[in-house]
Amino acid sequence: MERGDVTRGDGTWVGLSLDVRDRRLPGLCVFSAGSRLLLAQQSRPVLLAVVDEQHHGVDFWRTEEYRSFVPPPRADMARALAGDPQRWAHRFARRLADSPGSPLHEGRWLLSCENTFRRWRDPAESPGEHWSSMLVEGHPDGFIDWFVHAGSWEVLPLRPLPDARDGRVKAYRKQAREGTLPPVLLWWVSGLDCHLILDGHARLAAAIAESVEPPLLHVHRLLPRDELAARTSEAVTLYEGELARFAELRAVHGPTVPDGAATAGPRLVRRLHDLDTVPRSTWSWPLPGGEDAWRRIAREATAGRRWPDA
């Protein structure tokens, strides 16, 4: 896997680009069968989901099978890397690349520290209140509400968050107060329109308990290489065409007409930046056996409970 820093025009670090090759099927994989989804980690069902017929949301059933592929960060490492998302990103990138339980597959990805949550936030809302409201509730089953929370990009834990009195949470609460809490690793899945917590359930619980902003890193899929090349060429062609249009105007009306670079240049920079940062739809693979196989897996995972009701 090739890694590269992604920055804004002013040099601000945005994240790491991850170019993955020779990994056809990820260890943490989304399978689809009609309106039904299955998230499986190395053949273990992790999450079952059914998209509502009216597309108002998703019913889900969460199993107890998810295993984080990131070892718990040591306290000394947390202190050494405190406040440095770039160094944390390199550490997480190695785990994403090397672990058989990772969601990465062949293509381009971005591991970013930028906040992509689009929900309007009440200025009077504390960090603890805000992040508590961002969590999708329900275990083992629940509902991701697209009608009420459209575009909010909520957070769905892949296992229940531990209680604030849990031993791990207590240790992380101290780090949260000290400002050395390691980031929570998220993965945006477009078929659910929310982020899944890949690592850091106890750290997020600690941040909520202490009512501090949790440091975040999130990974999402980018444009594939061939489409990136085509879109880049298209953006450059538009830029050159705009400069040519201004040149024609200058030839007719004289040098009082600007050359167009002041408007076309920033537009080109924004377009190229978006090609390197904007999330693309999450890939899913056809579930072998289709809906019949999904129903069989659901019966086994739910111990025969009638779920979903529809």
Side-chain angles (χ1 to χ4, degrees):
M1 181 185 73
E2 296 179 5
R3 283 182 268 169
D5 290 311
V6 177
T7 60
R8 293 194 175 279
D10 60 2
T12 303
W13 186 81
V14 172
L16 282 180
S17 64
L18 311 176
D19 194 343
V20 181
R21 300 176 186 269
D22 301 322
R23 186 184 289 190
R24 297 292 181 181
L25 191 69
L28 185 61
C29 186
V30 179
F31 293 98
S32 60
S35 62
R36 292 164 168 78
L37 299 175
L38 168 67
L39 178 64
Q41 187 178 39
Q42 296 178 283
S43 78
R44 300 188 308 272
V46 169
L47 187 79
L48 290 141
V50 183
V51 178
D52 178 76
E53 289 185 0
Q54 304 301 319
H55 294 93
H56 289 168
V58 181
D59 287 288
F60 69 85
W61 183 285
R62 183 173 53 189
T63 74
E64 300 283 357
E65 296 297 325
Y66 177 70
R67 302 291 181 269
S68 174
F69 49 86
V70 180
R74 302 189 312 273
D76 58 342
M77 178 179 293
R79 288 191 295 271
L81 302 187
D84 194 337
Q86 188 171 1
R87 292 177 67 188
W88 276 117
H90 279 281
R91 181 178 184 274
F92 281 118
R94 288 194 294 272
R95 297 298 179 181
L96 284 163
D98 298 340
S99 171
S102 162
L104 295 197
H105 55 75
E106 183 164 323
R108 299 174 59 251
W109 299 76
L110 180 68
L111 179 58
S112 176
C113 66
E114 289 204 329
N115 192 338
T116 61
F117 294 96
R118 297 176 177 176
R119 180 184 174 190
W120 178 82
R121 185 167 179 174
D122 185 345
E125 195 175 43
S126 71
E129 293 169 334
H130 173 71
W131 285 101
S132 293
S133 70
M134 291 294 287
L135 294 174
V136 179
E137 297 180 347
H139 184 75
D141 59 329
F143 186 70
I144 304 169
D145 195 329
W146 292 347
F147 186 75
V148 175
H149 300 289
S152 65
W153 290 14
E154 294 175 293
V155 175
L156 175 61
L158 285 177
R159 56 175 176 264
L161 259 62
D163 186 86
R165 295 164 294 182
D166 180 273
R168 295 166 300 163
V169 177
K170 287 182 178 180
Y172 285 133
R173 290 183 69 169
K174 182 175 185 293
Q175 293 181 351
R177 292 192 298 271
E178 295 172 345
T180 61
L181 189 67
V184 178
L185 180 61
L186 306 174
W187 172 34
W188 182 64
V189 177
S190 61
L192 301 173
D193 192 27
C194 72
H195 285 83
L196 303 182
I197 301 179
L198 295 178
D199 185 69
H201 291 74
R203 297 196 293 277
L204 182 56
I208 291 173
E210 292 296 324
S211 196
V212 300
E213 290 293 336
L216 303 174
L217 285 171
H218 56 88
V219 64
H220 59 253
R221 181 176 162 267
L222 297 174
L223 278 175
R225 302 176 198 96
D226 54 350
E227 191 172 350
L228 173 65
R231 293 283 190 92
T232 300
S233 177
E234 178 182 308
V236 172
T237 298
L238 289 172
Y239 169 75
E240 292 174 342
E242 189 71 353
L243 293 187
R245 184 175 71 87
F246 273 91
E248 291 175 359
L249 291 173
R250 285 170 65 88
V252 174
H253 301 289
T256 56
V257 176
D259 62 8
T263 56
R267 192 178 300 129
L268 174 64
V269 170
R270 287 194 300 272
R271 284 174 175 159
L272 296 179
H273 180 75
D274 286 348
L275 294 179
D276 275 333
T277 57
V278 173
R280 305 297 162 171
S281 297
T282 309
W283 275 2
S284 68
W285 279 257
L287 179 65
E291 293 188 15
D292 289 341
W294 187 94
R295 291 190 179 93
R296 175 182 55 77
I297 295 169
R299 285 195 300 270
E300 294 172 354
T302 63
R305 174 175 162 181
R306 181 174 171 77
W307 175 87
D309 293 332

